[in-house]
Amino acid sequence: MDTAQNYFDQSSSNNHTHLAQDIKQWGKELGFQQIGITNIHLDKDETHLMNWLKAGRHGKMEYMSCHGTKRSRPQDLVPGTIRVISARMDYFPQESVKAEQLLENNTIAYISRYAVGRDYHKVMRARLQRLATKIEAITGSFGYRVFVDSAPVLEKALAQKAGLGWIGKHTNLINHTAGSWFFLGELYTNLPLPVDSPGENHCGTCQTCIDLCPTQAIVAPYQLDARRCISYLTIELRGSIPVEFRPLIGNRIYGCDDCQLVCPWNHFAQTTGETDFQPRHGLDAAELVELFDWSEDEFLKYTEGSAIRRIGYVCWLRNIAVALGNVPSSNEIINALKSRINHPSELVREHVQWALLRHTGAHH
Ligand code: B12
Ligand code: SF4
Ligand code: SF4
């Protein structure tokens, strides 16, 4: 305890500099690729967020609009907050089949690469909590809260300010040495730590992601209309998927990675060493008909501890039905769809009917 007290003296900014360095080192030891520190001023991002909400681009994600200014003002969410410690963790798994090949072979399901392993919320939160405990051992009790995509937090804007990268035109955070296949998490704190320099934008004149997005969801550089995004349509939307988007969804049954797969900054990205993020139950390259055949019990069993579980069995079937409507016709596909034509859920039945009509040639 004596050593801790000597090391940390509230009155000395030198000691906060030392502590900030240690936090970054501990972060690496805990499996984060990078840690950065920023203040709480998000003025420009707040304006962009408000405009985005005003335009209705969040669709039915009410959790985006119901928190007032809490999302863009950390001190309103956790009073006393003056700094944000932002952390990133790589997730791209070792694949059995390359993502690009999967998207070409559409009888195999494409599940976005962040979701084929264990739910990142649990993994990241536990590590951030351990980081907080390490800090506490030095400073004694201090004010903090841990977040991973769990509360109204403007994670990408904070990470950009903390020097972890820049928000690309596709609206994901990109790091110039690591690409964009990483999650973000934060510690809000009242410790007066020194802040890092913000990340600089390196998109330049590139606009590949805008041109290649299957649904043209990136409506302008840095502006995503979530209502058009396959990630929103397959993960966040609970009701019927608008018919105009169904053919464009292809074989993507949970999320979408296209804008990141085509981004030049991801050519040098590393795969993750975390065993938790490696594919489970062959979910990185499973046959659509096999997944469509799962009973609800099987769905619950095979998605245990995975983020996929949160969409529920009905939306799982809805998504696979759409994908089966998009694959080349075969008896196997048609029979699989027919097996669900009397499913108790109206939502499932409606998507199955749509898919069957695609195979019988009507309504194209
Ligand atoms: C809502 C949400 C979604 C929504 C909307 C996405 C979005 N762009 O907002 C949907 C469901 C579509 C989605 C999809 C995905 N998501 Co998401 N999502 C979030 C969430 C919960 C909030 C994001 C948010 O605040 N949006 C608000 C809008 C206004 O922000 P924005 O579009 O980024 O706009 C910013 C800038 O572009 C700029 N801006 C906006 N308009 C304008 C206009 C001009 C003129 C200019 C100059 C700038 C500008 O300012 C804004 C504020 O900083 C965060 C977690 C969190 N709490 O932050 C995860 C998060 C962003 N998602 C994440 C991931 C991994 C994904 C997917 C890759 C998952 C997948 N494979 O399917 C996709 C990627 C889709 C994409 N191209 O963005 C990660 C991103 C990690 C990273 N490296 O960036 C996060 C951070 C979760 C996490 N903890 O790791 N997501
Ligand atoms: S995740 Fe897919 S649909 Fe959404 S913006 Fe990126 S490429 Fe477009
Ligand atoms: S594809 Fe090009 S424009 Fe899009 S985020 Fe990557 S570098 Fe930026």
Side-chain angles (χ1 to χ4, degrees), residues 172-286:
N172 295 294
L173 197 84
I174 310 174
N175 177 283
H176 73 286
T177 59
S180 63
W181 304 113
F182 53 79
F183 298 121
L184 295 173
E186 312 65 34
L187 259 172
Y188 278 20
T189 179
N190 62 359
L191 296 172
L193 298 163
V195 298
D196 290 299
S197 317
E200 279 172 36
N201 191 311
H202 295 290
C203 279
T205 55
C206 175
Q207 55 162 40
T208 313
C209 54
I210 300 177
D211 295 341
L212 297 184
C213 167
T215 51
Q216 293 169 348
I218 309 165
V219 291
Y222 314 105
Q223 297 188 48
L224 183 85
D225 190 338
R227 293 167 298 184
R228 305 186 66 88
C229 176
I230 294 171
S231 183
Y232 169 82
L233 296 168
T234 55
I235 301 174
E236 299 291 331
L237 184 69
R238 285 291 163 270
S240 176
I241 297 176
V243 174
E244 61 170 310
F245 297 123
R246 293 184 195 174
L248 308 174
I249 287 176
N251 59 340
R252 298 167 191 80
I253 64 161
Y254 188 93
C256 172
D257 287 332
D258 285 42
C259 51
Q260 297 186 86
L261 287 168
V262 300
C263 177
W265 292 96
N266 272 337
H267 291 167
F268 311 103
Q270 303 288 310
T271 50
T272 178
E274 293 289 337
T275 40
D276 275 340
F277 296 150
Q278 301 311 326
R280 296 173 157 200
H281 307 295
L283 278 176
D284 62 325

Side-chain angles (χ1 to χ4, degrees), residues 12-174:
S12 164
S13 64
N14 269 347
N15 283 344
H16 284 111
T17 306
H18 187 180
L19 178 60
Q21 284 161 357
D22 280 351
I23 290 172
K24 289 171 190 175
Q25 184 52 37
W26 295 331
K28 287 203 171 132
E29 288 162 16
L30 286 166
F32 294 108
Q33 271 62 46
Q34 197 181 349
I35 300 268
I37 299 166
T38 183
N39 63 31
I40 52 171
H41 307 301
L42 289 165
D43 318 347
K44 255 193 270 159
D45 295 283
E46 178 173 281
T47 309
H48 293 316
L49 170 67
M50 293 306 165
N51 289 339
W52 187 76
L53 292 169
K54 236 180 277 162
R57 289 187 172 149
H58 58 303
K60 296 201 166 127
M61 295 182 287
E62 262 164 42
Y63 63 87
M64 289 303 298
S65 56
C66 70
H67 297 288
T69 54
K70 281 200 178 122
R71 187 173 293 271
S72 47
R73 299 186 192 176
Q75 71 280 22
D76 288 1
L77 183 65
V78 183
T81 301
I82 57 167
R83 294 288 184 269
V84 177
I85 302 172
S86 173
R88 65 175 187 83
M89 187 181 274
D90 289 347
Y91 64 74
F92 203 88
Q94 272 120 36
E95 305 169 295
S96 52
V97 185
K98 296 233 353 134
E100 289 83 352
Q101 277 170 27
L102 287 172
L103 287 161
E104 278 162 24
N105 179 350
N106 46 19
T107 66
I108 295 183
Y110 188 82
I111 292 179
S112 52
R113 303 292 93 174
Y114 86 87
V116 295
R118 185 162 183 244
D119 191 342
Y120 68 100
H121 297 87
K122 299 179 185 173
V123 177
M124 295 263 296
R125 176 182 284 276
R127 302 286 174 88
L128 284 167
Q129 187 53 55
R130 280 165 68 188
L131 182 61
T133 308
K134 270 180 174 283
I135 300 171
E136 201 158 33
I138 299 298
T139 62
S141 168
F142 74 110
Y144 73 89
R145 260 179 73 184
V146 167
F147 300 107
V148 182
D149 195 0
S150 50
V153 173
L154 217 44
E155 294 192 311
K156 292 178 285 184
L158 287 165
Q160 190 270 332
K161 274 170 61 76
L164 302 193
W166 75 97
I167 298 179
K169 289 180 190 172
H170 53 25
T171 80
N172 295 294
L173 197 84
I174 310 174

